[in-house]
């Protein structure tokens, strides 16, 4: 049988050292650093919770390049969130924390771009966050660094500068729920698939960007992600 409409274009991310990583889904963890959980009004002790972005919200940015994203519609408070991203290479459900590392293909630097005003409105109304989080171009991401090259990561400075000014500065070892625990919890709710990305949460220091701003995110060992808002 032939397709009755054009098939959606696949979303591929460059892999450091060569190859392409096909994206299946984008999962995101909310409030996973104590300092950020507090700035969002929590006490930093909640169990992990998850939301999703569509796969085609990913904006692949090659190392050394500056990606561009449009200032989105409907918002007057467009925020950056720098995040450590885990790329799943082997799927499964009910994955134990002890086995989780075997499901990781690699790691990347990502931005969880957020229409904060819309997210806040939805929270107040008890409605889904999709319009605040899951919109077009909301998931810029750098190349995937294979775990075979990096080893299993547990620590590393995570930073975000806007126009050269430091705005977020933490370490991925400060995650409330570490990557293995996150995979264990997430795989209770969904069957993870090869190609899934997990945005693991952002540290404190979130804030707005406007057209003309350039964001520069970095994680030790995973390079630098440069993205301009246009
Ligand atoms: Mn986030």
């Amino acid at each position: 049988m032939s397709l009755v409409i054009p098939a959606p274009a696949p979303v591929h991310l460059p892999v450091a050292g060569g190859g392409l990583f096909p994206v299946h889904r984008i999962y995101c963890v909310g409030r996973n650093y104590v300092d950020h959980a507090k700035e969002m009004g929590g006490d930093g002790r909640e169990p992990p919770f998850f939301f999703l972005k569509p796969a085609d919200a990913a904006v692949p940015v090659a190392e050394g390049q500056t990606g561009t994203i449009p200032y989105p519609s409907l918002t007057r408070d467009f925020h950056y969130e720098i995040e450590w991203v885990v790329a799943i290479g082997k799927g499964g459900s009910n994955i134990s924390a002890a086995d989780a590392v075997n499901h990781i293909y690699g790691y990347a630097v990502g931005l969880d771009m957020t229409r904060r005003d819309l997210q806040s409105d939805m929270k107040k109304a008890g409605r889904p966050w999709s319009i605040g989080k899951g919109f077009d171009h909301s998931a810029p991401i750098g190349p995937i660094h294979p775990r075979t090259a990096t080893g299993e990561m547990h620590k590393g400075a995570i930073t975000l500068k806007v126009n050269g000014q430091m705005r977020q500065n933490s370490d991925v070892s400060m995650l409330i729920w570490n990557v293995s625990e996150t995979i264990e919890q997430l795989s209770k709710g969904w069957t993870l698939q090869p190609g899934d990305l997990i945005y693991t949460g952002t540290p404190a220091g979130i804030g707005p960007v406007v057209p003309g701003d350039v964001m520069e995110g970095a994680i030790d060992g995973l390079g630098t992600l440069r993205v301009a808002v246009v």
Side-chain angles (χ1 to χ4, degrees):
M1 297 291 275
S2 55
L3 299 175
V4 297
I5 56 169
V11 180
H12 292 151
L13 305 179
V15 175
L20 294 171
F21 181 90
V23 179
H24 176 247
R25 288 182 186 164
I26 303 175
Y27 295 97
C28 303
V29 187
R31 297 188 185 178
N32 205 14
Y33 288 81
V34 171
D35 52 359
H36 173 64
K38 287 181 177 165
E39 79 180 347
M40 295 301 284
D43 65 4
R45 297 183 195 285
E46 300 166 285
F49 65 92
F50 306 102
F51 58 93
L52 288 96
K53 293 175 185 261
D56 65 357
V59 179
V61 181
E63 184 68 32
Q65 302 293 303
T66 301
T68 59
I69 55 172
Y71 194 89
S73 61
L74 300 179
T75 186
R76 291 181 170 193
D77 198 21
F78 185 40
H79 276 206
Y80 55 78
E81 297 189 357
I82 190 67
E83 307 207 0
W84 185 27
V85 181
V86 176
I88 297 296
K90 183 178 131 193
S93 56
N94 298 311
I95 298 165
S96 69
D99 184 43
V101 65
N102 299 311
H103 293 259
I104 298 172
Y105 174 79
Y107 306 99
V109 182
L111 280 162
D112 168 13
M113 299 305 297
T114 302
R115 294 193 275 211
R116 190 72 67 200
D117 43 359
L118 298 184
Q119 184 200 21
S120 300
D121 290 347
M122 293 299 116
K123 276 186 193 174
K124 281 180 205 144
R127 291 177 179 160
W129 290 11
S130 302
I131 201 166
K133 286 289 195 179
F135 53 96
D136 297 346
H137 315 290
S138 60
I141 184 168
I144 306 288
H145 291 253
R147 180 171 57 86
T148 51
T150 60
E152 183 181 7
M153 286 181 63
H154 298 284
K155 58 183 168 56
I158 179 170
T159 56
L160 182 79
K161 294 177 184 172
V162 178
N163 304 328
Q165 302 257 17
M166 188 71 81
R167 299 290 179 81
Q168 293 185 279
N169 187 0
S170 186
D171 194 287
V172 299
S173 64
M174 301 296 285
L175 286 173
I176 296 169
W177 299 91
N178 68 32
V179 166
S180 293
E181 292 166 333
T182 297
I183 290 172
E184 180 176 89
Q185 294 287 337
L186 186 59
S187 69
K188 289 178 184 174
W190 290 268
T191 301
L192 296 182
Q193 302 285 349
D196 287 338
L197 300 175
I198 306 171
Y199 278 61
T200 59
T202 198
I206 56 169
V209 283
V210 296
D213 285 346
V214 177
M215 300 172 282
E216 196 171 274
I219 298 173
D220 279 350
L222 302 180
T224 299
L225 170 64
R226 274 176 63 90
V227 179
V229 182
V230 298

